[in-house]
Amino acid sequence: MLTTSNRADRRERISVDPGTQCLLSVPSMRSPLERLPADAFENLLVVSVTRSPTKIERTVREMGGEPSKVGVVPVSGSSINYDGPLWVADVVGPTDLTGINLRFSNAMRHVEPGAGWVVFDNVNVLLMYAQSDSVYQFLSAVISQARSRQARGVYAVVRDAITDETYASVRELFDEEFATDA
């Protein structure tokens, strides 16, 4: 039986309309998955640059979700060894924005129009490996795909780890902005 953790019960959940793309400021080392409503775990695609599929599966279970309804595009410089219920794409390196976009585009076929969710667990990591204008163009393309499918999008950043100029530039791509300190 799946139960929701006490930690998750206290956390305010994000509520957005279909097609809405939001920028979520999170503390370092926190998962944006903790802020999703329960229905997000019914059809969810996670582009993960900070967590392994095993950790994502654990968080999904803690949040009361069913891992078999969650897909992951792992972005890592290392190989991924996972044999579990999550649907997992081939790993792609964090310097390969084109490859990430390709994996994302292929995975979007599994995101139900008007019902699915898309989560990028940490945009900051992409900014460490690519120029901010390239990340901006990449995010613009990804957001366009999510909007066209009417998927709800949550893109996490650690606000204190990027410059005000970079944040302002990236922020203009999004419909809404949320922040959390816990």
Side-chain angles (χ1 to χ4, degrees):
M1 176 178 199
L2 299 175
T3 59
T4 304
S5 70
N6 288 336
R7 181 179 70 184
D9 287 339
R10 293 188 303 257
R11 196 153 330 295
E12 181 183 341
R13 305 296 175 93
I14 293 173
S15 176
V16 296
D17 293 328
T20 300
Q21 307 301 298
C22 64
L23 186 61
L24 173 65
S25 296
V26 296
S28 181
M29 307 305 288
R30 294 310 295 253
S31 172
L33 299 178
E34 297 172 355
R35 296 289 307 276
L36 299 180
D39 67 342
F41 296 97
E42 293 298 313
N43 185 234
L44 175 63
L45 173 60
V46 180
V47 179
S48 181
V49 297
T50 60
R51 289 169 181 76
S52 69
T54 301
K55 288 182 180 178
I56 293 169
E57 179 185 343
R58 186 176 323 128
T59 302
V60 168
R61 289 185 190 282
E62 287 174 359
M63 297 302 297
E66 172 54 49
S68 66
K69 297 180 179 182
V70 177
V72 178
V73 174
V75 179
S76 176
S78 304
S79 63
I80 301 292
N81 185 15
Y82 175 76
D83 184 27
L86 298 172
W87 174 82
V88 180
D90 291 335
V91 68
V92 61
T95 60
D96 186 2
L97 296 180
T98 301
I100 298 168
N101 192 14
L102 179 61
R103 301 286 194 297
F104 176 79
S105 296
N106 288 336
M108 280 299 289
R109 292 178 293 151
H110 302 287
V111 176
E112 292 183 38
W117 286 71
V118 171
V119 173
F120 272 69
D121 72 0
N122 194 316
V123 173
N124 294 62
V125 175
L126 299 177
L127 289 164
M128 290 171 34
Y129 288 98
Q131 295 294 321
S132 59
D133 60 334
S134 295
V135 173
Y136 179 94
Q137 291 172 356
F138 165 77
L139 287 173
S140 179
V142 164
I143 288 168
S144 177
Q145 290 179 66
R147 278 192 183 118
S148 71
R149 205 147 170 96
Q150 287 295 298
R152 293 165 175 91
V154 177
Y155 304 76
V157 294
V158 178
R159 175 63 186 94
D160 295 339
I162 58 176
T163 66
D164 291 342
E165 180 182 349
T166 298
Y167 183 81
S169 173
V170 169
R171 167 60 184 102
E172 71 185 32
L173 292 168
F174 297 92
D175 304 310
E176 294 190 41
E177 176 179 29
F178 296 97
T180 182
D181 56 1

